[in-house]
């Protein structure tokens, strides 16, 4: 994350990292939640982090991984502009991703 952005956030803000299927439901298939004070951090999105039974990351061919910040701690109320997106990632060949949260204009 940009140093300038970090100074604009409370250390209690929450980072949500989630994967959504390219084709299918808008519901995330896996989610990680961490305090912004832990940035930068490593994460693994797998079936154990599924939001709903039967909707797992391994059931998708391709996903987009997104990181967003929420000052309220509510995933539905994220801070406008503080996010990063991976683009399409093939689940079968998933490897290390680096997401840099930056202000989106």
């Amino acid at each position: 994350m940009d140093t300038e952005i970090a100074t604009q956030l409370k250390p209690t803000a929450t980072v949500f990292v989630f994967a959504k299927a390219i084709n299918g439901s808008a519901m995330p298939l896996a989610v990680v939640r961490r305090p912004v004070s832990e940035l930068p951090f490593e994460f693994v999105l797998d079936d154990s982090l599924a939001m709903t039974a039967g909707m797992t990351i391994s059931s998708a061919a391709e996903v987009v991984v997104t990181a967003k910040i929420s000052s309220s701690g509510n995933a539905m109320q994220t801070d406008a502009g503080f996010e990063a997106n991976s683009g399409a990632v093939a689940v079968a060949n998933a490897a290390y991703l680096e997401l840099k949260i930056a202000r989106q204009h």
Side-chain angles (χ1 to χ4, degrees):
M1 177 188 314
D2 291 341
T3 314
E4 177 185 327
I5 293 173
T7 63
Q8 298 174 28
L9 299 168
K10 296 178 185 175
T12 55
T14 304
V15 179
F16 292 93
V17 182
F18 55 91
K20 288 185 179 180
I22 296 284
N23 297 312
S25 172
M27 173 80 76
L29 299 174
V31 178
V32 169
R33 176 184 172 150
R34 299 265 181 82
V36 84
S37 61
E38 290 185 13
L39 286 170
F41 59 81
E42 291 187 14
F43 61 92
V44 174
L45 295 174
D46 60 23
D47 289 350
S48 71
L49 300 169
M51 300 264 312
T52 306
M55 289 184 60
T56 58
I57 197 166
S58 65
S59 66
E62 290 184 309
V63 296
V64 172
V65 179
T66 302
K68 289 189 174 188
I69 295 178
S70 170
S71 293
S72 70
N74 182 331
M76 301 303 289
Q77 297 173 346
T78 58
D79 296 9
F82 293 107
E83 67 179 77
N85 293 292
S86 69
V89 176
V91 173
N93 300 323
Y96 181 80
L97 291 176
E98 184 173 330
L99 297 175
K100 182 177 181 182
I101 299 171
R103 179 164 303 273
Q104 308 294 312
H105 298 284

